[in-house]
């Protein structure tokens, strides 16, 4: 009895198995995003609107601070930040790439002191 050499592998059965597994996965997967119970909420006579602020703080390469496009000193910015709610308000930092790192640290230190949770650093792609 003569044996043939095993030079080639037949991949057709492998492709069939992969396609069958793909069909099984797609048939059993759910494509529903998120189902929630529909609830008709009651109305109240007093409404309190939660106003979230998005505060823009920018520092240029010379260390000039601006708060909402208004040039202010670091102390005045600190006073304004201390009046905000650290859990609700969003602080967006724009730093010049050639500015000293100390300017960034000064702002972050103020934000950490107050306990701000929503801080974003604006960059360009």
């Amino acid at each position: 009895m003569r044996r043939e050499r095993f030079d080639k592998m037949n991949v057709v059965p492998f492709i069939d198995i992969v396609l069958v597994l793909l069909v099984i996965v797609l048939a059993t997967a759910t494509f529903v995003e998120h189902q929630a119970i529909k609830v008709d909420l009651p109305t109240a006579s007093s409404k309190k609107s939660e106003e979230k602020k998005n505060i823009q703080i920018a520092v240029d390469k010379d260390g000039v601070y601006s708060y909402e496009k208004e040039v202010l000193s670091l102390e005045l910015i600190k006073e304004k930040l201390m009046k905000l709610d650290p859990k609700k308000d969003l602080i967006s930092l724009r730093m010049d790439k050639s500015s000293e790192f100390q300017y960034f640290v000064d702002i972050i230190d103020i934000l950490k002191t107050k306990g701000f949770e929503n801080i974003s650093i604006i960059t360009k792609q």
Side-chain angles (χ1 to χ4, degrees), residues 4-123:
E4 292 184 28
R5 286 184 42 183
F6 184 69
D7 289 336
K8 299 177 186 174
M9 183 175 157
N10 190 2
V11 294
V12 174
F14 178 70
I15 293 172
D16 289 341
I17 292 171
V18 170
L19 289 175
V20 168
L21 289 174
L22 180 65
V23 168
I24 291 171
V25 168
L26 290 176
T28 59
T30 59
F31 294 106
V32 178
E33 288 181 20
H34 182 67
Q35 291 184 347
I37 299 172
K38 302 249 185 226
V39 177
D40 188 17
L41 296 175
T43 58
S45 60
S46 64
K47 290 185 179 180
K48 183 178 178 183
S49 63
E50 291 187 19
E51 188 176 310
K52 291 187 176 186
K53 297 178 186 174
N54 186 2
I55 306 300
Q56 301 277 334
I57 298 175
V59 180
D60 69 359
K61 64 181 177 180
D62 299 322
V64 177
Y65 296 95
S66 67
Y67 181 92
E68 292 292 312
K69 298 181 181 177
E70 179 183 359
V71 176
L72 296 174
S73 69
L74 186 61
E75 290 302 318
L76 288 174
I77 290 175
K78 183 176 182 178
E79 288 177 18
K80 288 188 177 250
L81 288 175
M82 291 302 159
K83 295 177 184 175
L84 297 175
D85 186 2
K87 295 189 188 235
K88 291 182 189 173
D89 299 328
L90 172 67
I91 306 296
S92 299
L93 294 177
R94 294 178 179 270
M95 304 292 296
D96 191 282
K97 68 179 180 180
S98 59
S99 67
E100 290 184 28
F101 187 65
Q102 184 61 44
Y103 303 137
F104 177 76
V105 171
D106 292 340
I107 295 291
I108 293 295
D109 191 39
I110 293 170
L111 296 174
K112 270 180 68 177
T113 302
K114 181 70 175 172
F116 278 92
E117 296 177 357
N118 301 318
I119 301 170
S120 66
I121 299 170
I122 308 299
T123 59

